[in-house]
Amino acid sequence: MTEQIKKTLRDSAALRWTALLLLALAMFCAYIFMDILSPIKDLMLSERGWSSTAFGTMQGAETFLNVFVFFLIFAGIILDKMGVRFTAVLSGVVMLVGAVIKYYAISENFMGSGLEAWFTNNLNHIPVFEQLGVSPFYEGMPASAKLAACGFMIFGCGAEMGGITVSRGIVKWFKGREMALAMGSEMALARLGVATCMIFSPFFAKLGGHIDVSRSVAFGVVLLCIALIMLVVYFFMDKKLDSQTGEAEEKDDPFKISDIGQILTSSGFWLVSLLCVLYYSAIFPFQKYAVNMLQCNLTFTELPADSFWNSTSVTIIQYVIMLIVAVTAFMFNFMKNKATKYSILCLSVLALVTYCYMGYMRQSAESIFAVFPLLAVGITPILGNYVDHKGKAASMLVLGSLLLIACHLTFAFVLPAPAFKGSQIGGVIVAYLTILVLGASFSLVPASLWPSVPKLVDAKVIGSAYALIFWIQNIGLWLFPLLIGKVLDKTNPGVTDATQLNYTAPLIMLASLGVAALIIGLILKAVDKKKKLGLEEPNIK
């Protein structure tokens, strides 16, 4: 009887995974909005007059306040002082506010308004930031891009606050249990948002034969309303858990500014942070340009307007097949019966092949890139289980860096080669394989890097440690979308067709980040061995 009384929500596998699902679904919606304009970069040029520089500047603005106004550091302090549930709901509200502003900026209501005139005439020169070369605006930047950047800044504050809160929440519910599996699974589900975005953003923008880019953003806003509901439900679950355990994050062992010094003196923390910024800078900024890169490096045939492959129904069918791939690939890892296990695997592979065939038949760059997270969904539980029970987190980060380099170099030199660009089938096969491997390499990070942080810092400053890592990461996420846009404009002078750009230089730049990440990963392995940080040791002992 006493034993039953002591049991808490997190002792129930079903309830702690339910808490994880609520957090993961909220981040799923956030990931969709994060890249909502990425698949329609070409339409932003034709419909709103955004150049690659304007597009990249707006995309980079997402992290501007986090980096230069240090909002992420404050978010970490809020998290450590106020706890997971309060910060989770706050992040959902902030994301929604920023999303609504961005929607208005993209909408036709903004065009011709007095606010558009104000943004056209103002925010061209931002003192200090302009001199430092880090201004989120510039003279000649379209007014819609400026206001969208303002909204995206606010959204970015909420999204990154949500990111560190989810990481801290998983530590709270899964520490001493299957933490790497939980973190990996959360990111796998969240990254399905990337695929959802790639499929549905162009779908809504072109719905009914009339192009309206604001419909894509409206789709994202609705999903963020759902995300906020998920976080409110999580609030009550988390509150119940604290009442059972007697924990009170806000009051026991309160956070002090001096605790940050404890984090900054850890060499392991700095190496993990550098690895994170290099790795994520080669992935997230790339996602924002990946569809346009495929449009430039593959040969597509325009489909007749009345073609089945150009219809609304095929979009829904392909998305359902994508979900079947994701669900069956994830389920495969938890099946005990061998016959059932491998039947599920065969179904998953068959569904993946069907999905890829449909992407090819649709002659759609966005549906091709949507395959990005699918292999990751299948292997993330394997990687998470391995790290939980066997360790080797630092080694996995090295492997991820090697795969990252190989993928970007393939995009840079193999895909645009005449043998593949001139061959519809050959080019699409190379693109699919490379995108799948890139997505798989990305799954190595949440399964190995994030569960390593609690091994490097004291429990009471985990929130601040995640915040500092995210802050350092956000420097890259601000800089590289901007750099890619500028490099594209510089290396493609006079090119006005967004599907005829040369992406070689930006891709080489991203591959070099992978090389730097590889070096840092090898150093981290050496430091871990020397100082016995425990990164190569299992989470469950």
Side-chain angles (χ1 to χ4, degrees):
M1 186 73 176
T2 306
E3 186 179 330
Q4 287 181 341
I5 293 172
K6 287 182 178 177
K7 281 196 172 184
T8 64
L9 293 181
R10 64 183 166 206
D11 292 319
S12 165
L15 290 175
R16 67 174 177 267
W17 282 92
T18 298
L20 176 75
L21 184 63
L22 291 170
L23 294 172
L25 286 173
M27 294 312 294
F28 168 83
C29 297
Y31 268 57
I32 291 175
F33 193 84
M34 206 174 287
D35 283 314
I36 200 70
L37 295 182
S38 301
I40 54 174
K41 175 181 178 289
D42 56 326
L43 296 181
M44 297 311 296
L45 173 62
S46 60
E47 299 299 309
R48 295 294 184 269
W50 291 14
S51 65
S52 292
T53 298
F55 182 83
T57 303
M58 190 284 302
Q59 295 282 38
E62 178 197 350
T63 58
F64 181 81
L65 294 178
N66 288 324
V67 173
F68 296 106
V69 187
F70 304 102
F71 181 81
L72 252 176
I73 308 300
F74 297 125
I77 295 172
I78 292 169
L79 176 56
D80 282 328
K81 284 188 72 69
M82 302 303 293
V84 171
R85 58 181 175 270
F86 173 85
T87 315
V89 174
L90 178 62
S91 70
V93 171
V94 174
M95 281 193 288
L96 186 56
V97 169
V100 170
I101 293 172
K102 185 173 179 177
Y103 165 72
Y104 177 66
I106 304 299
S107 71
E108 293 184 356
N109 291 330
F110 177 71
M111 298 170 66
S113 67
L115 195 58
E116 182 186 34
W118 188 90
F119 271 91
T120 300
N121 297 323
N122 294 278
L123 297 182
N124 294 314
H125 305 284
I126 311 299
V128 182
F129 290 115
E130 185 177 21
Q131 280 70 36
L132 293 173
V134 297
S135 175
F137 315 107
Y138 61 88
E139 188 168 10
M141 185 177 181
S144 57
K146 288 181 185 176
L147 181 56
C150 292
F152 213 27
M153 286 180 203
I154 297 170
F155 166 83
C157 290
E160 296 302 322
M161 182 191 287
I164 61 173
T165 304
V166 167
S167 297
R168 174 69 178 268
I170 293 173
V171 171
K172 180 176 182 177
W173 284 78
F174 286 87
K175 191 168 185 180
R177 297 176 174 87
E178 55 278 86
M179 188 162 62
L181 174 60
M183 286 193 171
S185 300
E186 181 271 324
M187 288 308 297
L189 177 57
R191 284 185 188 129
L192 279 177
V194 178
T196 304
C197 169
M198 296 299 159
I199 289 176
F200 283 106
S201 179
F203 170 77
F204 284 110
K206 301 173 183 177
L207 191 63
H210 169 66
I211 294 176
D212 183 355
V213 292
S214 68
R215 284 196 297 253
S216 299
V217 186
F219 167 64
V221 171
V222 171
L223 290 177
L224 288 176
C225 292
I226 296 171
L228 182 56
I229 294 170
M230 297 288 181
L231 294 173
V232 169
V233 175
Y234 173 81
F235 178 96
F236 290 103
M237 283 193 71
D238 189 85
K239 188 174 182 180
K240 178 67 173 176
L241 175 64
D242 278 1
S243 70
Q244 291 178 330
T245 61
E247 295 174 1
E249 297 172 308
E250 305 86 2
K251 298 173 184 175
D252 292 347
D253 205 6
F255 173 84
K256 298 183 289 292
I257 295 294
S258 58
D259 290 333
I260 293 181
Q262 174 192 336
I263 302 171
L264 299 180
T265 54
S266 168
S267 59
F269 166 82
W270 279 109
L271 288 170
V272 166
S273 298
L274 287 172
L275 195 68
C276 179
V277 69
L278 290 167
Y279 200 89
Y280 275 68
S281 294
I283 296 284
F284 281 121
F286 170 72
Q287 284 179 192
K288 299 180 187 303
Y289 290 89
V291 170
N292 188 229
M293 182 274 294
L294 291 175
Q295 290 171 336
C296 298
N297 287 339
L298 292 175
T299 302
F300 293 104
T301 303
E302 188 173 351
L303 299 174
D306 59 349
S307 168
F308 166 74
W309 299 107
N310 205 19
S311 66
T312 299
S313 57
V314 78
T315 302
I316 307 297
I317 294 169
Q318 192 179 22
Y319 187 66
V320 170
I321 292 173
M322 186 198 77
L323 292 179
I324 292 172
V325 176
V327 171
T328 53
F330 194 78
M331 286 172 55
F332 165 78
N333 295 279
F334 302 96
M335 294 290 180
K336 301 297 182 185
N337 183 282
K338 280 194 172 182
T340 307
K341 185 182 178 80
Y342 288 103
S343 296
I344 287 290
L345 178 62
C346 290
L347 176 60
S348 184
V349 172
L350 181 63
L352 178 61
V353 172
T354 304
Y355 174 89
C356 292
Y357 172 74
M358 292 182 75
Y360 165 73
M361 292 301 294
R362 292 185 66 192
Q363 293 294 293
S364 163
E366 52 268 20
S367 65
I368 289 175
F369 186 72
V371 81
F372 175 68
L374 295 187
L375 185 57
V377 173
I379 70 168
T380 294
I382 299 173
L383 298 173
N385 266 322
Y386 189 86
V387 173
D388 281 332
H389 293 92
K390 302 293 184 182
K392 305 297 181 186
S395 300
M396 286 195 176
L397 293 171
V398 170
L399 175 60
S401 300
L402 286 169
L403 293 175
L404 182 70
I405 297 165
C407 290
H408 281 314
L409 291 179
T410 300
F411 286 132
F413 297 108
V414 178
L415 199 60
F420 295 104
K421 188 172 183 177
S423 167
Q424 280 195 344
I425 297 177
V428 169
I429 290 173
V430 170
Y432 270 132
L433 291 175
T434 310
I435 293 166
L436 283 166
V437 172
L438 184 65
S441 77
F442 200 18
S443 67
L444 291 164
V445 176
S448 50
L449 188 148
W450 299 121
S452 300
V453 176
K455 298 179 180 180
L456 302 174
V457 300
D458 190 79
K460 72 172 182 177
V461 292
I462 287 176
S464 296
Y466 279 126
L468 283 167
I469 292 175
F470 273 56
W471 177 73
I472 295 167
Q473 168 192 312
N474 270 239
I475 295 173
L477 300 187
W478 159 77
L479 178 62
F480 281 93
L482 177 61
L483 280 180
I484 294 172
K486 286 183 177 294
V487 170
L488 278 175
D489 280 340
K490 291 288 185 184
T491 55
N492 293 273
V495 178
T496 56
D497 185 346
T499 63
Q500 299 299 318
L501 298 170
N502 186 328
Y503 267 85
T504 304
L507 289 167
I508 292 173
M509 178 176 67
L510 296 175
S512 68
L513 292 177
V515 173
L518 175 61
I519 294 168
I520 296 294
L522 293 171
I523 295 172
L524 180 63
K525 280 197 68 174
V527 170
D528 176 64
K529 185 176 181 180
K530 182 180 178 181
K531 296 191 174 183
K532 302 188 184 307
L533 299 175
L535 300 183
E536 295 284 87
E537 296 177 7
N539 295 322
I540 300 174
K541 298 180 182 179

